[in-house]
Amino acid sequence: DTAVSQTPKYLVTQMGNDKSIKCEQNLGHDTMYWYKQDSKKFLKIMFSYNNKELIINETVPNRFSPKSPDKAHLNLHINSLELGDSAVYFCASSQGTPIAYEQYFGPGTRLTVT
Amino acid sequence: SQQGEEDPQALSIQEGENATMNCSYKTSINNLQWYRQNSGRGLVHLILIRSNEREKHSGRLRVTLDTSKKSSSLLITASRAADTASYFCATDAVGSARQLTFGSGTQLTVLP
């Protein structure tokens, strides 16, 4: 059984388009995250949701909008895609506690903007 | 800003040898975690060490934490070709609202 799944795995699109990445976890966790990993493998958190409520919103262009319809899903919508958005995007989940426990990562979505 | 930095950036060893990776961080932490990332895959949690712990073992992994030096090390003993991956430390800084900050990673290559 897949714990954290993301779709699509690969996404190739042109500048200016709008795209979405979907994430689902079946672990019963109530905290979910979106990370961006650049070409140098540097991993940076973008957003975090706890029980459908946004708790972390790092300095990310407002072209990026997360949406959590329920605590098992956290989708990422990106408007007006730019070349610099090309990266691998990872969804993750963890138990929601006052401190950060281990996170479970999805397989990643490789976004290429041409 | 980047909290953790791994050293070395890349490490190449022969199968059977031990591999040691280091991580330094800047602020007080609740815990420090190590993750592995195989090429083209997501990160996998390896081990978590709390700020009041000094050493932790899991199978062939040994993690140490020195909060006075703000550093941690990951030792993989008797390495195997399957250990080839990138290894990241991640810190849960005090007051960070459950946010993990990842280091830049060490690329480990184990040669058969």
Side-chain angles (χ1 to χ4, degrees):
Chain A
D1 286 344
T2 304
V4 182
S5 59
Q6 292 179 231
T7 54
K9 188 163 174 61
Y10 299 97
L11 187 52
V12 181
T13 188
Q14 292 184 324
M15 282 175 55
N17 285 349
D18 302 339
K19 290 293 177 186
S20 291
I21 307 172
K22 295 187 176 182
C23 177
E24 177 180 2
Q25 55 95 3
N26 62 6
L27 298 166
H29 292 161
D30 56 10
T31 304
M32 295 184 72
Y33 310 83
W34 276 110
Y35 288 89
K36 178 181 180 180
Q37 188 174 46
D38 63 21
S39 58
K40 295 184 179 178
K41 293 194 173 182
F42 179 56
L43 197 67
K44 183 173 169 55
I45 190 164
M46 301 173 68
F47 301 103
S48 171
Y49 267 75
N50 178 255
N51 278 323
K52 303 196 304 175
E53 182 182 342
L54 182 66
I55 57 170
I56 295 171
N57 183 1
E58 290 296 297
T59 306
V60 173
N62 57 16
R63 299 181 294 103
F64 290 80
S65 55
K67 280 196 171 58
S68 181
D70 56 60
K71 73 175 194 179
H73 296 83
L74 181 62
N75 303 323
L76 184 66
H77 189 75
I78 315 169
N79 289 328
S80 304
L81 278 154
E82 300 177 357
L83 291 176
D85 298 332
S86 294
V88 181
Y89 292 84
F90 287 99
C91 176
S93 73
S94 73
Q95 283 181 285
T97 63
I99 63 172
Y101 283 117
E102 62 184 277
Q103 295 187 6
Y104 292 76
F105 282 77
T109 296
R110 182 173 293 277
L111 171 65
T112 303
V113 182
T114 61
Chain B
S1 63
Q2 195 169 330
Q3 163 79 313
E5 291 191 13
E6 282 91 339
D7 168 54
Q9 285 190 320
L11 179 61
S12 187
I13 58 174
Q14 295 293 135
E15 213 166 19
E17 294 180 339
N18 296 341
T20 299
M21 288 158 267
N22 303 297
C23 168
S24 59
Y25 58 91
K26 296 173 185 169
T27 62
S28 296
I29 59 171
N30 294 309
N31 66 62
L32 184 144
Q33 303 176 32
W34 284 91
Y35 287 79
R36 183 187 74 230
Q37 184 180 30
N38 290 88
S39 181
R41 310 288 288 272
L43 280 77
V44 174
H45 180 267
L46 295 176
I47 200 164
L48 180 154
I49 186 165
R50 300 181 197 282
S51 60
N52 61 353
E53 296 176 313
R54 292 296 165 258
E55 188 170 313
K56 207 157 182 184
H57 298 254
S58 176
R60 293 184 295 113
L61 306 181
R62 173 177 166 251
V63 167
T64 62
L65 178 65
D66 187 336
T67 52
S68 65
K69 294 182 179 177
K70 293 187 169 57
S71 68
S72 173
S73 67
L74 170 67
L75 168 68
I76 304 174
T77 59
S79 63
R80 305 166 182 168
D83 294 328
T84 294
S86 294
Y87 291 82
F88 295 87
C89 68
T91 51
D92 171 24
V94 173
S96 66
R98 286 164 284 178
Q99 175 180 340
L100 284 183
T101 304
F102 284 80
S104 49
T106 293
Q107 173 61 48
L108 172 67
T109 302
V110 181
L111 303 168

